[in-house]
C-alpha cells in the first residue's frame, strides 16, 4: 500500500502580483425584499480575486458569506437583489448579462460546490451520466468523448475503479465520495472560478483532509481561482492564500493568510482566533474566549462600526458616530482593515495555554461507567425476504471506564461505532454481549422503555442537531417542564421555577421560556437542549457531536458551558466527536475507535503525544489548524473502512495502515499493550518503537 508522510505545505503568502483578476466585486450591495421591508444583508463589499488564487471567506452564521457566493453565481432567488455596484467576471459585468449568457458561464467558466453534495446530484441518474452532461452541454462534445473525460476526471479526484463508479447511483457512495464526484463535476469544464460553500463541514477529519488536498492539487493543475467559504479557520489556512473576515454583511478585514493570522488588526478577527481550541490547550489551563453578545438584527444596523456593541476595544463616538473607512495596513499593501483603531491596538497574542495551577491537580475519582467486553452485533439480511445474511459487529469487545466528574471522549471516523455505543448506553439499542455497568448496576441489556426512573434520570443525551430534541410546536418552557415531570415528577409552580433555574444554568434569558424553537439561533437551541438534558440532574451526559455544526464563537461558549456545568454538578460527560482540537481541550481521557474496536485509550495528554497508534497518528495529521506557523507531518490514508462483510481477520486497521509490519497484521489480532500510566495501544508494533515517532504537530 502506498502512503505519503510529509510536512504539510502552506499556501503562499505572496501578493497577487501581475496575475490578471478573475473576479471583481466593486461596491456591491445585496438586499432581500420581504414583508418586513428591505433587508440590506450586504451593504457594501469590494474585493478582487486573481487567477489561480484562493480566497477564504470566514465569519459567523448570518454574516453574509453564502449571500456573496450566491450573488457571484447570480443565484439570489426571487427575494434577493443586487442593489448596487458591479460584479465583474473575467472583465465582464455580470449584472448586464442575459440569462442565456449566464447559463453558458455557469457550470462552464464558473462552478459551485455546495456543503451538501446531494443538492447537486440527481438520486435517480447514474454518476457517469451526470458527469457527462457537463462537457456535452458546455463543450459540445459527443457521448464517447464525454464518457472518456468523465472517467478521467473521476480518476483525477482519486475515486477507486472509475469505470465502475460511472455506473453507480449517488446513494451507493459515501459522503466523501459524493463530495469528490461533485468536485469532479465542477471541474469538468476547467472553470476559471470555483466557488466552494462549506464543502467539508459534514465530513470526517480524514476525509476532509483528503478533499482539501485534492482541491489544492486540482487548483494547481487547472489554475482555477477559488472562493472558499468556511466557518473553520483551520481549513482556510490549509488551502487559501488570502482570507476575508465578514461580520454582519461587511468585510471587516482582508489580506494574505500570514499577515492576518500573525497580526490580526480587527477586534472581531482577534475574537474568532481566541475562540479556537488548539492542540496544546485544555480546560485546566484557561477557558475559551467566546465573543460576547449576538450579531445585531439587520433592520437595526448601527450607524458606525457594526461590531462596536460587542467590541472589547471600542472607543466611544469614534466607533459609533459615522461609517468606518477601510485602512491599508502592513508592508504588503494588501492587508485591509475596517477599524478606526487599526494602528493603535497592541500586537495580538493568542491567550496563553498556561499550566495547571497549584492546588488544581487532577483528583482521582471513582468509575461511574464501566464497559466490560461490550458487544453490539446486527444481523444484516440478504434479499427482500431475509434468510441468509451476515453479522455487522458495530461494537466489538470494548473495555472502557469513565470516572465521576470527568470527560471521556470517543473519536474516530464515521462507521467506527461511536454513535452505536451511545445508543447502547441510553437503552435505544441492547448489548449483545459483555456488560454496561452504571455505578455498578448492569443496564446494557435493558431497553429504555424498561429502565426504572432512576436509571432514565441518571443517563441523558445531547444530540448534534438540537431540533431532534425540541418539539417545534411547543415553547421552550413546556419542553423543559415536560422533561422535569417525566424524570423527577416535579410539576406546577416548582417546575416553572426549576425551568428558570435551568435557563440561568445555561446562560439564557428567563424570557426564553416563552419562546418557540424557531425563534432561537442554533447556539441558543443547543443550550436549551443541554438544559433539557440537565433537568433530571443526570450522573452521565452523552454528548454526540454537540458542537460540530456551530460557529467557532458559539462553539466556544457551549464548550465553556459544559466545563462549567461539570464543575458545578459533578456530572460525567461522554463526548463523541471527530474534532480532535475540541477533544484535546475538553477531555480527561480519550478512546480512539476503528471498526467497532478501541485502538487506543488513555489520558488525553498521553494520547496526543507519542507513542501513537498509527490510526491516531493519521487522525492528528489531518486536523486543520488555524495557525500558518504550525507545521504538520501529513499522513494520507488510502482506501475506505472495510465492509462489515469482509472484516480483516487480524488488525482491523491493517488494510489502511501506513506502518503495517507484514502478514501478522492481516492474520493475527493485535495485542493490547499497556504502559505504566495505563495508556493502552492495540498494535503489533512494540510500544517502545511507537514512542520513537516524531510529533505529528510541531
Amino acid at each position: 500500500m502506498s502512503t505519503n508522510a510529509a510536512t504539510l505545505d502552506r499556501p503562499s503568502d505572496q501578493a497577487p502580483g501581475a496575475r490578471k483578476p478573475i473576479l471583481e466585486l466593486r461596491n456591491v450591495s445585496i438586499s432581500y425584499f420581504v414583508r418586513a421591508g428591505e433587508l440590506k444583508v450586504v451593504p457594501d463589499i469590494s474585493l478582487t480575486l486573481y487567477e489561480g488564487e484562493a480566497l477564504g471567506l470566514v465569519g459567523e452564521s448570518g454574516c453574509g458569506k453564502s449571500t456573496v457566493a450566491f450573488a457571484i453565481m447570480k443565484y439570489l432567488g426571487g427575494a434577493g437583489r443586487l442593489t448596487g455596484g458591479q460584479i465583474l467576471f473575467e472583465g465582464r459585468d455580470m449584472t448586464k448579462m442575459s440569462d442565456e449568457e449566464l447559463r453558458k458561464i455557469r457550470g462552464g467558466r464558473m462552478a459551485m460546490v455546495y456543503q451538501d453534495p446531494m443538492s447537486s446530484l440527481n438520486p435517480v441518474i447514474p454518476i457517469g451520466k451526470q458527469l457527462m452532461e457537463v462537457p456535452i452541454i458546455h463543450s459540445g462534445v459527443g457521448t464517447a468523448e464525454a464518457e472518456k473525460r468523465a472517467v478521467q476526471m473521476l480518476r483525477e479526484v482519486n475515486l477507486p475503479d472509475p469505470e465502475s463508479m460511472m455506473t453507480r447511483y449517488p446513494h451507493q457512495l459515501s459522503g466523501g465520495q459524493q463530495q469528490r464526484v461533485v468536485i469532479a463535476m465542477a471541474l469538468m469544464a476547467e472553470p476559471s472560478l470555483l466557488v466552494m460553500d462549506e464543502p467539508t463541514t459534514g465530513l470526517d477529519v480524514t476525509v476532509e483532509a483528503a478533499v482539501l488536498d485534492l482541491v489544492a492539487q486540482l487548483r494547481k493543475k487547472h489554475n482555477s481561482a477559488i472562493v472558499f467559504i468556511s466557518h473553520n479557520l483551520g481549513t482556510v489556512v490549509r488551502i487559501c492564500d488570502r482570507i476575508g473576515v465578514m461580520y454582519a454583511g461587511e468585510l471587516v478585514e482582508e489580506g494574505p493568510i500570514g499577515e492576518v493570522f500573525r497580526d490580526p488588526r480587527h477586534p472581531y478577527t482577534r475574537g474568532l482566533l481566541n475562540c479556537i481550541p488548539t492542540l496544546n490547550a485544555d480546560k485546566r489551563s484557561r477557558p475559551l474566549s467566546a465573543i460576547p453578545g449576538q450579531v445585531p438584527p439587520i433592520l437595526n444596523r448601527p450607524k458606525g462600526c457594526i461590531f462596536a456593541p460587542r467590541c472589547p476595544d471600542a472607543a466611544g463616538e469614534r466607533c459609533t458616530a459615522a461609517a468606518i473607512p477601510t485602512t491599508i495596513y502592513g508592508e504588503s499593501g494588501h492587508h485591509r482593515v475596517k477599524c478606526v483603531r487599526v494602528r493603535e491596538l497592541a500586537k495580538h497574542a493568542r491567550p496563553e495555554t498556561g499550566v495547571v495551577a497549584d492546588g488544581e491537580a487532577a483528583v482521582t475519582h471513582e468509575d461511574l461507567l464501566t464497559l466490560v467486553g461490550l458487544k453490539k452485533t446486527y444481523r444484516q439480511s440478504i434479499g427482500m425476504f431475509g434468510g441468509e445474511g451476515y453479522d455487522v459487529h458495530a461494537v466489538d469487545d470494548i473495555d472502557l471506564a469513565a470516572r465521576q466528574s470527568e470527560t471521556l471522549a470517543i473519536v474516530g471516523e464515521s462507521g467506527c461505532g461511536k454513535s452505536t455505543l451511545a445508543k447502547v448506553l441510553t437503552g435505544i439499542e441492547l448489548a449483545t454481549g459483555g456488560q454496561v455497568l452504571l455505578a455498578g448496576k448492569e443496564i446494557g441489556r435493558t431497553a429504555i422503555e424498561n429502565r426504572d426512573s432512576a436509571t432514565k434520570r441518571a443517563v441523558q443525551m445531547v444530540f448534534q442537531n438540537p431540533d431532534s430534541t425540541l418539539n417545534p410546536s411547543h415553547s421552550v418552557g413546556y419542553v423543559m417542564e415536560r422533561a422535569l415531570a417525566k424524570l423527577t415528577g416535579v410539576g406546577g409552580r416548582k417546575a416553572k421555577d426549576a425551568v428558570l433555574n435551568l435557563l440561568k444554568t445555561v446562560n439564557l434569558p428567563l424570557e426564553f421560556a416563552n419562546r418557540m424553537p424557531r425563534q432561537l439561533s442554533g447556539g441558543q437551541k443547543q443550550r436549551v437542549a443541554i438544559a433539557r438534558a440537565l433537568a433530571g440532574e443526570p450522573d452521565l451526559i452523552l454528548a454526540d457531536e454537540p458542537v460540530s455544526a456551530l460557529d467557532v464563537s458559539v462553539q466556544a461558549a457551549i464548550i465553556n458551558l459544559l466545563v462549567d456545568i461539570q464543575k458545578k454538578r459533578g456530572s460525567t460527560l461522554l463526548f463523541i466527536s471527530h474534532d480532535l482540537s475540541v477533544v484535546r481541550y475538553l477531555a480527561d481521557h480519550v478512546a480512539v475507535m476503528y471498526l467497532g474496536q478501541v485502538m487506543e485509550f488513555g489520558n488525553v495528554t498521553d494520547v496526543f503525544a507519542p507513542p501513537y497508534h498509527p490510526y491516531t497518528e493519521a487522525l492528528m495529521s489531518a486536523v486543520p489548524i488555524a495557525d500558518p506557523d504550525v507545521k504538520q507531518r501529513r499522513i494520507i490514508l488510502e482506501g475506505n473502512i472495510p465492509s462489515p462483510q469482509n472484516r480483516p481477520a487480524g488488525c482491523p486497521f491493517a488494510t489502511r495502515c501506513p506502518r503495517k509490519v507484514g502478514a501478522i497484521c492481516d492474520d493475527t489480532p493485535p495485542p493490547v499493550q499497556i504502559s505504566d500510566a495505563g495508556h493502552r495501544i492495540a498494535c503489533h508494533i512494540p510500544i517502545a518503537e511507537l514512542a520513537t515517532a516524531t510529533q505529528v504537530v510541531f
Side-chain angles (χ1 to χ4, degrees):
M1 173 180 295
S2 68
T3 56
N4 180 22
T7 301
L8 179 68
D9 291 330
R10 299 290 185 192
S12 170
D13 289 342
Q14 300 301 312
R19 288 175 289 173
K20 68 177 183 179
I22 294 297
L23 177 70
E24 295 177 83
L25 273 61
R26 297 179 179 176
N27 303 112
V28 169
S29 302
I30 306 167
S31 295
Y32 285 99
F33 293 86
V34 296
R35 289 182 180 179
E38 180 183 0
L39 301 180
K40 297 181 180 179
V41 291
V42 179
D44 186 359
I45 186 172
S46 297
L47 60 85
T48 302
L49 183 65
Y50 294 86
E51 185 179 40
E53 184 184 31
L55 169 69
L57 286 182
V58 303
E60 294 170 285
S61 294
C63 71
K65 306 185 301 291
S66 295
T67 296
V68 170
F70 286 122
I72 291 170
M73 300 296 297
K74 293 299 294 291
Y75 279 152
L76 286 173
R81 194 179 307 164
L82 198 72
T83 55
Q86 293 178 297
I87 298 178
L88 303 182
F89 174 66
E90 295 183 329
R92 299 177 61 195
D93 189 346
M94 294 185 65
T95 62
K96 298 179 180 178
M97 291 184 185
S98 66
D99 291 342
E100 181 62 29
E101 289 176 301
L102 288 172
R103 274 194 293 271
K104 289 181 180 179
I105 290 175
R106 294 193 196 113
R109 298 300 299 152
M110 62 194 307
M112 189 164 182
V113 176
Y114 300 90
Q115 177 177 344
D116 178 12
M118 285 307 296
S119 63
S120 301
L121 298 175
N122 191 320
V124 298
I125 299 178
I127 293 299
K129 287 189 176 181
Q130 296 188 57
L131 285 169
M132 289 167 59
E133 286 180 353
V134 178
I136 290 173
I137 293 173
H138 292 282
S139 302
V141 303
T143 302
E145 177 62 21
E147 183 176 4
K148 180 180 176 182
R149 291 190 188 183
V151 171
Q152 177 58 30
M153 186 53 69
L154 289 175
R155 190 171 286 113
E156 283 194 27
V157 297
N158 300 323
L159 282 169
D161 194 3
E163 288 80 6
S164 172
M165 193 68 66
M166 291 278 287
T167 64
R168 297 186 189 179
Y169 290 87
H171 71 272
Q172 296 174 303
L173 278 60
S174 68
Q177 289 175 331
Q178 289 174 353
Q179 196 63 284
R180 286 170 184 255
V181 169
V182 171
I183 292 172
M185 189 180 298
L187 292 170
M188 281 289 287
E190 298 192 0
S192 57
L193 174 65
L194 185 61
V195 180
M196 310 188 79
D197 190 2
E198 300 275 12
T200 62
T201 296
L203 304 179
D204 290 323
V205 64
T206 51
V207 179
E208 175 185 64
V211 169
L212 293 176
D213 290 344
L214 171 67
V215 171
Q217 294 165 9
L218 295 176
R219 167 195 163 197
K220 184 178 294 186
K221 178 176 180 179
H222 298 284
N223 201 31
S224 298
I226 297 176
V227 176
F228 189 87
I229 296 170
S230 180
H231 68 266
N232 187 331
L233 276 71
T235 61
V236 171
V237 168
R238 177 167 281 184
I239 202 170
C240 295
D241 304 296
R242 286 192 296 137
I243 183 172
V245 182
M246 292 191 68
Y247 181 77
E250 297 184 9
L251 192 65
V252 296
E253 185 161 9
E254 186 250 328
I257 287 285
E259 284 191 35
V260 173
F261 276 83
R262 294 181 187 115
D263 189 17
R265 302 311 301 171
H266 197 283
Y268 179 61
T269 308
R270 296 180 174 205
L272 289 178
L273 292 173
N274 291 343
C275 289
I276 303 170
T278 60
L279 287 177
N280 62 348
D282 61 44
K283 62 186 177 184
R284 299 174 190 83
S285 59
R286 66 169 176 87
L288 297 175
S289 301
I291 302 174
Q294 304 288 333
V295 179
I298 295 173
L299 287 172
N300 297 319
R301 186 178 291 274
K303 185 177 181 181
C305 175
I306 191 76
F307 187 60
R310 304 173 71 189
C311 181
D313 301 302
E317 290 190 1
R318 289 179 62 196
C319 297
T320 59
I324 307 299
T326 298
T327 302
I328 303 297
Y329 180 85
E331 297 180 358
S332 72
H334 297 280
H335 189 174
R336 303 187 299 156
V337 188
K338 207 168 189 178
C339 179
V340 296
R341 301 195 62 193
V342 62
R343 303 189 191 281
E344 301 171 13
L345 299 178
K347 188 175 177 64
H348 176 254
R350 296 283 286 274
E352 293 292 333
T353 56
V355 295
V356 179
D358 292 340
E360 294 183 12
V363 178
T364 301
H365 299 95
E366 296 294 325
D367 290 345
L368 173 71
L369 176 71
T370 306
L371 310 180
V372 182
L374 178 63
K375 297 177 183 289
K376 176 58 186 177
T377 303
Y378 296 97
R379 184 65 180 174
Q380 183 70 46
S381 299
I382 298 176
M384 185 178 299
F385 302 105
E388 293 186 1
Y390 58 91
D391 289 334
V392 177
H393 300 274
V395 174
D396 191 14
D397 199 19
I398 286 184
D399 295 319
L400 285 177
R403 296 173 179 168
Q404 292 177 347
S405 303
E406 294 188 2
T407 299
L408 169 63
I410 310 291
V411 302
E413 296 170 287
S414 295
C416 72
K418 306 188 299 294
S419 295
T420 299
L421 175 61
K423 289 177 181 178
V424 172
L425 298 183
T426 55
I428 296 173
E429 298 283 357
L430 299 183
T432 50
Q435 291 182 300
V436 178
L437 302 175
L438 182 69
K441 178 182 179 181
E442 164 59 39
I443 63 172
R445 302 295 182 94
T446 307
I448 180 65
E449 60 269 19
N450 297 325
R451 290 184 177 181
D452 58 48
S453 58
T455 303
K456 290 178 181 178
R457 177 204 61 77
V459 182
Q460 290 294 304
M461 191 159 185
V462 179
F463 298 92
Q464 177 177 354
N465 181 7
D467 289 320
S468 61
T469 303
L470 306 177
N471 189 321
S473 302
H474 294 297
S475 68
V476 166
Y478 176 86
V479 169
M480 294 168 65
E481 284 183 44
R482 187 171 185 273
L484 285 162
K486 291 284 187 180
L487 296 172
T488 66
V490 172
R493 183 70 255 172
K494 285 186 177 181
K496 293 185 183 299
D497 291 341
V499 167
L500 298 182
N501 286 330
L502 286 169
L503 289 174
K504 289 178 184 177
T505 300
V506 297
N507 300 325
L508 285 176
L510 301 186
E511 59 267 24
F512 273 42
N514 299 317
R515 292 196 180 182
M516 306 297 284
R518 65 177 181 274
Q519 296 174 298
L520 308 181
S521 68
Q524 290 168 342
K525 284 191 279 191
Q526 194 62 285
R527 285 172 183 262
V528 172
I530 292 171
R532 193 216 63 81
L534 293 173
E537 297 192 357
D539 301 315
L540 176 65
I541 300 173
L542 308 178
D544 190 358
E545 299 278 11
V547 297
S548 63
L550 303 177
D551 295 322
V552 290
S553 55
V554 180
Q555 180 188 79
I558 295 295
I559 292 172
N560 286 340
L561 174 64
L562 290 172
V563 172
D564 187 53
I565 288 171
Q566 191 173 50
K567 283 182 180 178
K568 292 177 179 177
R569 298 192 171 221
S571 300
T572 298
L573 180 64
L574 193 141
F575 187 82
I576 297 172
S577 180
H578 67 264
D579 189 331
L580 295 190
S581 296
V582 173
V583 166
R584 176 66 182 89
Y585 181 84
L586 190 60
D588 297 288
H589 290 82
V590 180
V592 182
M593 289 187 66
Y594 185 83
L595 208 61
Q597 297 183 19
V598 173
M599 310 309 294
E600 183 167 2
F601 171 76
N603 181 285
V604 65
T605 54
D606 292 336
V607 172
F608 278 76
Y612 307 111
H613 187 281
Y615 180 56
T616 308
E617 191 176 19
L619 289 178
M620 289 184 60
S621 82
V623 176
I625 298 176
D627 188 339
D629 295 321
V630 170
K631 297 187 182 298
Q632 286 174 274
R633 185 165 51 85
R634 187 75 176 86
I635 300 168
I636 298 173
L637 296 181
E638 294 186 349
N640 299 309
I641 296 177
S643 165
Q645 292 177 269
N646 300 304
R647 287 176 58 86
C651 174
F653 188 55
T655 58
R656 302 170 71 198
C657 182
R659 302 183 67 179
K660 183 177 175 181
V661 295
I664 189 173
C665 296
D666 295 319
D667 304 331
T668 307
V672 177
Q673 306 175 72
I674 306 176
S675 72
D676 293 338
H679 184 188
R680 293 164 25 199
I681 297 179
C683 187
H684 287 290
I685 302 173
I687 199 167
E689 183 178 339
L690 292 173
T692 62
T694 57
Q695 289 276 3
V696 173
V697 180
F698 52 95

